[in-house]
Amino acid sequence: HDNNETHLWMAVMDRAVRDLVALEKFKSQDPQVLDDPVFRYDYRTLKKWFHSSSMEPGAFNWICSLVNIDPSWALDKLQNRLQIELKNKADITKSMQNKHTEAIAA
């Protein structure tokens, strides 16, 4: 289906992925953020949305069906993206720490 409604729902999916990536990065930087009830609610709600089996309009599986994507495939791709994003963030942090340590030692 190539119409405006499909593009809208693809944008919703894209936003949800970007939000989850951002929340996961933030959580990895500061695990205590889970103590914040607003963060915890947003994080859990978004994770539940991705893993819900609902086919109600607006649900993850419904959007996947609309754009002809296998939900399991999409979740695998999302998990891979999260791992890559978090690894890249950890590598950057480690590199910055190494440079700081080298600067102090010099």
Side-chain angles (χ1 to χ4, degrees):
H1 305 279
D2 190 23
N3 59 40
N4 290 337
E5 182 180 344
T6 302
H7 290 280
L8 172 66
W9 287 111
M10 288 173 63
V12 168
M13 180 76 75
D14 181 63
R15 181 77 262 157
V17 167
R18 290 172 185 264
D19 287 351
L20 185 59
V21 167
L23 290 173
E24 288 286 356
K25 281 183 183 179
F26 195 61
K27 185 180 74 142
S28 73
Q29 290 172 346
D30 182 11
Q32 290 182 341
V33 75
L34 286 172
D35 294 337
D36 178 0
V38 174
F39 180 90
R40 192 172 55 245
Y41 174 81
D42 288 346
Y43 179 73
R44 287 181 179 169
T45 300
L46 191 53
K47 296 269 295 196
K48 285 180 186 178
W49 182 80
F50 277 106
H51 294 284
S52 170
S53 61
S54 174
M55 285 301 290
E56 295 290 321
F60 173 74
N61 286 334
W62 180 84
I63 295 173
C64 287
S65 176
L66 179 70
V67 297
N68 201 26
I69 295 174
D70 176 39
S72 297
W73 177 87
L75 285 174
D76 285 345
K77 293 295 181 189
L78 175 60
Q79 188 61 38
N80 289 342
R81 179 172 175 186
L82 288 172
Q83 289 174 353
I84 290 168
E85 294 284 343
L86 294 177
K87 182 186 179 309
N88 288 344
K89 179 65 180 166
D91 289 348
I92 290 169
T93 301
K94 185 176 180 181
S95 175
M96 290 173 59
Q97 288 172 343
N98 288 342
K99 287 180 183 179
H100 180 71
T101 301
E102 289 170 2
I104 290 173

